[in-house]
Amino acid sequence: MSNQTAKLPPSARLTKWLVCGPPLVFLLLLFVAPSAIMVVASLRFPGEFGGLAPVAAAPGVLQGLTLETYRFFFGDFLYAEIFVKSFLVALAATLICLVMAYPLALLIARSPKKSRDLMILLVILPFASNFLIRVYAWMILLGPQGALSQLVNSALGAFGIGPVHLLFSPFAVLVAMVYVHLPFMVLPLYTNLEKHDPSLLDAAQDLGANRWQRFWHVTFPLSLPGIYAGATLVFIPVLGMFAIPDILGGTGDMLIGNLIKDQFLGTRDWPFGATLSILLTGAVLLCVLVAARLGGAGMRHA
Amino acid sequence: MIPARICPCGPVFIRGLPFALRVCLAIVLSCRAAYAGDVLHLYNWNNYISPETIARFEERCTCRVMQDYYSDNEEMLAKLAAGATGYDIIVPTGNALETLIRQKALRSLDKPALTNLKNINPAYLDTAFDRGNQFSVPFAYTLTLIGYNVEKMRELGLPTDTWAVIFEPEYLAKVKGRVTVLDSQRELMAAALKYLGYSANDTGEAHWKRARDLIIRAKPYWAAFNASSYIKELTVGNIWLVHGYSNDIFQANLDAQQAGRGFNIAASIPKEGAVLSLDSMVLHRSGPRPDLAHRFINFMLDGRNSSELTNLIGSGNPNLDAMRYIKPEIAQNPAVFPDPQHLVRLEMLRDLDRNQRRVLSRMWIEIKLR
């Protein structure tokens, strides 16, 4: 890499910096700096009234740096349990989004150019209303007097099973997670599928492949980068989401996002909140790395 | 720094407007500037003062009242901790008041300027949070109690005067999935501790563990931990029994009556006791107009002005002079103005220290996960 840079003429090197500079500054300011602040915060003691205890203060006052929040986290299975649970919820939401979004994206990509734009507009349309309002709307849809609840419960009643509550349940949380994040899966998939060369499918057909084989051996492998991009865009926000479990969740729906929010507000334990945030960021980075590796591999394979 | 609400129109917004509109805006803004000397900045709970009261005060002092709002004490403390300034008056609850005093964030009161202070019921003065009321004047209070759908509870034959109905499976079995409790570590633990016969401020770990186990045992019967939408759920009849705040339950009943739901929602103080949250007016150190702030506090201590909030939202009122202006149905409601025998069992929550907060937070996760 460095050899190549050295060989470039000065003007090309300038162009390279001009192109790389803004994103680099963006990353430094909006990712590296906040993360560094969080790392420092996670190593401090909590302040008496919230906030952080001073690093250096008059003797007799709690001060300095400590690893105690990391000891809490790794010394207690409870926190790992929340992490695992949140990862499972995020994974489930991602898979459901994928299964629902793929046929839709394929349909849009194979439609005539004119109706394509309209369909994409319809996919984006929900963003026109506020996220919280859309989540509150699910409270009405899933409420015990809603048509869905009554339908499900009358069907269950026919089999002699007692009524279930759809609202305030893990089910409600998952439904809203999928609903809110579905466009994030449709859009990258569509962008990918739209670029496929239709003559590839014709060639496969000429070679005797049936519909399923054409999909499984041509379309699907080519769409893997879109899948990885969509999965990342869904998985990561779901992992940090706290509003949906707060609003629609029942008595057991606590995810990492809620835990972190609790640390900063209710418990006023900023160091532990910072520790949880850092560990979550680390875990997410790991996921992105895996996705990027897989995506890269998929690209080469194709 | 002046709070953001003063000028809701930022420069970007102004630049985007046509010239004529900009001129109009400039005129409006200059009219506002005429008031610049006489503005009182109030940082208050959402919906916690009657608009009539504000209008009357503005008329009397020929000044403007600018309000910012918060929906819980932590939010208010966090905003102040992040450097918000310029508030003349804040209305914190007891434990947040204690925090603000210990942070030395408050101005002490000029008592001779508060001639109406005599109207306050002495039972609400000289609390553990502010001995001698050096910094704070009681404004209104809320109780954390049991709210219920009167018809449903009567039909099912459930008691409504004890926390047992929230915590005991034998009662809960009849209302499974129709109960919510507050999504608040302190409030829920306080209710459980009270039911077990301890103080709401008990911090003994063994007692906390018993309370935790009680909560975990009752949890499968509850629909949710909820601190906001339970008002609506009570009103429409989805939820029949709640652990909630007196103002909210009052509101739920008003809404249910207005919508002609055909049932009543009532509140009751459990015989084991409950939590009382006393909100007080205090002067923030950063407020530019302590003189106006004192006039406002004295104004709010007047019985008629104080009564308007109670008539609006059903809040408890520590002002003895206000009683004659309060609607009789509220004044006679024992869940708003408790009789002496209930009053002695009410407790105000003290703030926890950082270690206790950590222990409680861990228990809270156990409660949510088990």
Side-chain angles (χ1 to χ4, degrees):
Chain A
M1 226 13 211
S2 59
N3 279 342
Q4 265 178 348
T5 319
K7 272 180 224 155
L8 288 171
S11 65
R13 231 182 297 169
L14 182 71
T15 317
K16 193 180 169 190
W17 276 110
L18 282 178
V19 170
C20 299
L24 202 68
V25 170
F26 176 88
L27 270 181
L28 278 175
L29 274 181
L30 299 179
F31 178 71
V32 178
S35 300
I37 292 172
M38 284 310 231
V39 169
V40 175
S42 75
L43 295 173
R44 290 167 66 176
F45 287 102
E48 188 58 60
F49 315 109
L52 301 166
V55 177
V61 179
L62 190 60
Q63 54 184 288
L65 297 175
T66 172
L67 279 171
E68 64 174 5
T69 54
Y70 291 90
R71 262 206 311 279
F72 286 157
F73 184 87
F74 291 106
D76 200 334
F77 190 64
L78 207 59
Y79 302 114
E81 209 177 310
I82 289 204
F83 262 71
V84 170
K85 193 176 147 196
S86 307
F87 270 87
L88 289 178
V89 169
L91 196 67
T94 310
L95 287 178
I96 296 172
C97 275
L98 179 63
V99 169
M100 290 174 74
Y102 206 104
L104 181 62
L106 202 60
L107 180 81
I108 300 175
R110 304 246 167 114
S111 303
K113 179 81 182 116
K114 241 187 176 169
S115 48
R116 245 186 259 172
D117 294 340
L118 179 70
M119 286 161 115
I120 283 297
L121 185 74
L122 288 177
V123 169
I124 309 173
L125 200 61
F127 289 120
S129 69
N130 182 283
F131 156 77
L132 280 178
I133 292 174
R134 285 181 282 140
V135 175
Y136 273 112
W138 277 104
M139 289 191 78
I140 301 169
L141 293 174
L142 295 172
Q145 276 144 12
L148 185 66
S149 274
Q150 304 215 329
L151 190 76
V152 168
N153 281 328
S154 61
L156 286 178
F159 293 102
I161 305 170
V164 292
H165 295 278
L166 298 183
L167 186 59
F168 302 134
S169 68
F171 169 76
V173 174
L174 198 61
V175 165
M177 291 277 200
V178 168
Y179 164 73
V180 167
H181 295 98
L182 197 56
F184 295 107
M185 183 65 97
V186 176
L187 294 176
L189 267 178
Y190 161 75
T191 335
N192 174 286
L193 290 170
E194 193 212 10
K195 287 192 208 107
H196 291 192
D197 187 349
S199 56
L200 286 175
L201 291 179
D202 293 341
Q205 194 168 15
D206 291 346
L207 293 171
N210 62 26
R211 279 179 81 90
W212 170 247
Q213 285 170 323
R214 287 201 302 270
F215 171 75
W216 189 241
H217 292 291
V218 181
T219 308
F220 183 75
L222 281 175
S223 68
L224 278 176
I227 292 179
Y228 295 131
T232 318
L233 283 181
V234 173
F235 187 82
I236 294 171
V238 172
L239 200 54
M241 177 63 68
F242 66 85
I244 291 177
D246 261 3
I247 296 171
L248 297 175
T251 49
D253 293 296
M254 184 192 233
L255 301 179
I256 324 173
N258 305 85
L259 182 60
I260 294 174
K261 188 195 110 190
D262 260 10
Q263 298 307 313
F264 281 99
L265 288 178
T267 310
R268 281 177 279 146
D269 187 350
W270 288 20
F272 193 47
T275 304
L276 292 169
S277 307
I278 284 297
L279 292 172
L280 181 60
T281 311
V284 166
L285 277 181
L286 208 67
C287 292
V288 174
L289 210 67
V290 171
R293 276 282 169 85
L294 285 173
M299 211 92 90
R300 272 195 296 279
H301 177 73
Chain B
M1 203 195 91
I2 311 165
R5 275 183 70 86
I6 292 181
C7 185
C9 33
V12 179
F13 170 61
I14 295 172
R15 254 181 274 134
L17 291 173
F19 180 70
L21 254 179
R22 256 189 285 168
V23 172
C24 293
L25 199 65
I27 293 168
V28 172
L29 284 176
S30 64
C31 293
R32 280 175 152 208
Y35 278 108
D38 282 342
V39 178
L40 178 77
H41 297 291
L42 175 60
Y43 192 24
N44 195 2
W45 294 84
N46 288 323
N47 189 28
Y48 212 41
I49 192 163
S50 160
E52 297 148 43
T53 317
I54 292 278
R56 193 175 308 126
F57 180 71
E58 286 183 331
E59 196 184 312
R60 196 162 301 176
C61 76
T62 52
C63 65
R64 293 174 60 89
V65 176
M66 289 292 185
Q67 284 204 76
D68 259 0
Y69 307 93
Y70 52 90
S71 57
D72 67 48
N73 284 301
E74 270 71 30
E75 183 190 334
M76 182 264 294
L77 289 176
K79 190 166 170 184
L80 291 177
T85 54
Y87 296 121
D88 293 299
I89 292 184
I90 309 176
V91 192
T93 308
N95 49 350
L97 165 65
E98 193 177 11
T99 301
L100 286 169
I101 292 174
R102 279 157 61 196
Q103 284 177 328
K104 302 195 169 40
L106 303 181
R107 239 184 249 273
S108 54
L109 293 169
D110 179 18
K111 292 277 182 62
L114 304 175
T115 48
N116 288 333
L117 193 57
K118 60 180 192 311
N119 292 343
I120 295 289
N121 182 343
Y124 297 100
L125 290 174
D126 197 30
T127 61
F129 306 111
D130 179 18
R131 287 279 169 226
N133 285 77
Q134 211 188 328
F135 301 98
S136 66
V137 175
F139 179 77
Y141 63 81
T142 312
L143 303 173
T144 314
L145 29 68
I146 295 175
Y148 55 95
N149 184 313
V150 178
E151 281 70 21
K152 283 287 175 195
M153 297 307 273
R154 196 182 298 139
E155 197 180 297
L156 296 166
L158 292 175
T160 52
D161 61 340
T162 163
W163 287 119
V165 74
I166 297 275
F167 291 115
E168 286 299 338
E170 56 168 317
Y171 298 127
L172 284 169
K174 291 187 186 169
V175 281
K176 189 168 186 215
R178 301 290 190 172
V179 187
T180 67
V181 294
L182 286 173
D183 192 8
S184 155
Q185 307 179 6
R186 289 304 303 281
E187 291 284 6
L188 189 57
M189 283 299 270
L193 286 167
K194 276 293 197 185
Y195 177 57
L196 293 170
Y198 306 125
S199 156
N201 286 311
D202 200 319
T203 53
E205 218 171 314
H207 294 171
W208 271 6
K209 279 188 175 145
R210 278 196 64 194
R212 174 199 65 192
D213 294 342
L214 183 72
I215 293 169
I216 291 175
R217 192 181 58 160
K219 202 185 86 160
Y221 299 92
W222 298 337
F225 293 98
N226 193 313
S228 53
S229 58
Y230 73 95
I231 308 173
K232 187 206 104 199
E233 299 293 315
L234 260 180
T235 306
V236 298
N238 290 343
I239 292 294
W240 301 335
L241 178 65
V242 300
H243 161 238
Y245 297 113
S246 51
N247 301 348
D248 291 346
I249 296 162
F250 179 86
Q251 186 64 46
N253 187 42
L254 275 188
D255 294 348
Q257 300 315 319
Q258 261 167 23
R261 294 276 175 190
F263 53 75
N264 295 285
I265 289 156
S268 79
I269 302 176
K271 58 184 180 214
E272 297 89 357
V275 171
L276 179 142
S277 311
L278 181 63
D279 298 317
S280 303
M281 295 178 277
V282 298
L283 274 61
H284 195 250
R285 206 164 258 295
S286 73
R289 295 299 302 269
D291 55 326
L292 265 187
H294 276 93
R295 277 183 73 180
F296 179 80
I297 292 177
N298 205 39
F299 172 85
M300 285 311 297
L301 287 172
D302 174 73
R304 177 161 163 232
N305 300 327
S306 173
S307 71
E308 284 169 343
L309 178 66
T310 301
N311 286 334
L312 185 70
I313 65 164
S315 60
N317 200 317
N319 194 316
L320 291 173
D321 188 45
M323 294 308 284
R324 54 200 169 110
Y325 302 102
I326 292 173
K327 291 179 198 160
E329 68 266 27
I330 300 176
Q332 282 150 25
N333 185 344
V336 180
F337 295 97
D339 50 47
Q341 140 213 359
H342 278 109
L343 198 58
V344 296
R345 295 213 193 88
L346 297 178
E347 270 187 280
M348 301 189 211
L349 289 178
R350 303 294 305 270
D351 208 7
L352 297 177
D353 70 29
R354 51 191 146 202
N355 293 321
Q356 291 163 341
R357 292 202 299 265
R358 277 186 164 165
V359 172
L360 184 59
S361 162
R362 199 193 166 283
M363 276 190 186
W364 189 245
I365 301 167
E366 274 182 277
I367 288 171
K368 289 250 171 139
L369 283 188
R370 296 289 165 257

